[in-house]
Amino acid sequence: MEGYSAETVGGLVFEHLFQLVPNVAAVFTKPKYEMAVKMGNMLEMIVTCASDPDNMKQQLTWLGLRHVNYNVLPRHIPLMGP
């Protein structure tokens, strides 16, 4: 997705998620812009770490721990898959 901003990429991901599961939008309390940038930055980090599995595992573990603090439950995780 070279050439796209973090906000654009993250915004597309959230737009798709909210189309799949409209009621999940209520879970997000921060402005859409802020969440889109965070999502885009996180996706960029994951792609960047693709050649370093140990680093990717560490980054995704920290991401998972942060999401526990956001009250994300295991049943919510598959919603991002599609």
Side-chain angles (χ1 to χ4, degrees):
M1 305 243 6
E2 191 173 312
Y4 292 89
S5 70
E7 179 185 4
T8 299
V9 173
L12 290 170
V13 171
F14 278 117
E15 185 178 309
H16 185 67
L17 175 64
F18 297 158
Q19 287 176 357
L20 289 173
V21 190
N23 63 337
V24 79
V27 173
F28 296 91
T29 58
K30 296 188 179 190
K32 281 185 177 182
Y33 165 81
E34 187 176 332
M35 295 304 303
V37 170
K38 286 183 178 194
M39 172 65 79
N41 288 338
M42 186 53 56
L43 291 170
E44 180 180 14
M45 182 277 304
I46 291 169
V47 170
T48 301
C49 290
S51 61
D52 184 353
D54 291 332
N55 187 26
M56 180 183 279
K57 180 179 178 180
Q58 183 178 32
Q59 295 295 328
L60 292 175
T61 298
W62 290 337
L63 177 64
L65 291 172
R66 285 196 305 273
H67 280 73
V68 168
N69 291 329
Y70 302 148
N71 296 316
V72 174
L73 301 174
R75 70 174 189 262
H76 297 137
I77 302 303
L79 299 176
M80 286 300 292

